[in-house]
Amino acid sequence: MVLENMINMQLMMFLLVALGFWVRKRKIIGGTARKQFVDFCLYITLPFNIFHSFQLKWEQSMLLSFLEILLMSVGYNLISIGVSYASYRKIHGSRKSPLRYGTIVSNGGFLGNPVIEGIYGSQGVFYASVFMLPVRIVMWTIGSSCYMNGKEKHLFKKVMTHPCIVSIYLGMLVMIAGIEFPTCIANTIEKVSNCNTPISMMLVGMMLAEMDMKRVKTLLDKTLVYYVFMRLIGIGAILYGVTFLLPVDQLLKGVTVIIAGMPTPITTALLASKYDGDEDYATAMIFVTTILSLVTLPLWCLIL
């Protein structure tokens, strides 16, 4: 039954990606509208999805799991940062920044919630949201420093006031305080939250439709192959091995490994464009890892 549910979930997501790809290719949604949909997802549906995941009855026993998933997130960040700075020391020029950033940061926030919700339900999203708290801080500080080199100020403040982070604060407050919303508000939160998966997956398809496949082929080299392996398999395998030796709950292990095995985030190319990185190379990283993740993520689910 679990295997059947996982296969159905992956097929559903593949079809949503294909639908988004078709919609963009047919120009039903243009480039400007697609970018606005990304903002809509990041500032509306994803925060609602995170907030809704905290609509659980708080129990004292959850505190231990809460602390465990935070520690596992810190461990993941330390490993990804270490791999990033150890792997590309000999790389010079504008490709170094996206390679380092793309190794430190996965698409766990944008793509992770829909995948984890499909596998583990709302409880999985709850722990994924907690896991992403340190990840988002690292993403917009150490990760962004790969490009910016001090060009942006007050990054930490921007991170801590991001809607996705604020939704965690509010969600935790509501859960611990035991606040119950009127039915109309609770239903609104749930319905907007449910929009996150289809919109996120279709946006991935739209982004893939905008990429030049011929250009991607010319950028394939040994470094990119190594990067793809580390992004989708290597870091996740390290974490799987570490958590296998520890008395960690299977759900927490699954959330950690799946987020670690997510493809390259779209911000890799956005930051490359803004801060003189190799945008084409960053786009190739996104395209290849996103396509291959349709295979590697189900494999990780099977292993877990």
Side-chain angles (χ1 to χ4, degrees), residues 87-106:
S87 298
Y88 310 112
R89 287 177 295 177
K90 295 182 180 180
I91 302 297
H92 300 286
S94 58
R95 292 184 178 182
K96 190 172 187 176
S97 296
L99 284 167
R100 281 188 167 178
Y101 178 87
T103 303
I104 294 172
V105 183
S106 78

Side-chain angles (χ1 to χ4, degrees), residues 14-64:
F14 177 81
L15 291 173
L16 287 171
V17 170
L19 178 59
F21 187 93
W22 178 80
V23 164
R24 184 68 186 92
K25 280 296 185 183
R26 292 296 299 269
K27 299 183 180 179
I28 296 172
I29 290 180
T32 302
R34 197 273 296 164
K35 293 177 182 178
Q36 291 171 337
F37 263 109
V38 171
D39 289 340
F40 181 76
C41 184
L42 290 175
Y43 290 100
I44 303 295
T45 62
L46 184 53
F48 267 82
N49 185 248
I50 292 170
F51 183 81
H52 182 255
S53 71
F54 283 84
Q55 305 301 294
L56 301 170
K57 185 179 179 180
W58 174 258
E59 298 177 3
Q60 200 64 31
S61 60
M62 294 172 66
L63 180 61
L64 179 59

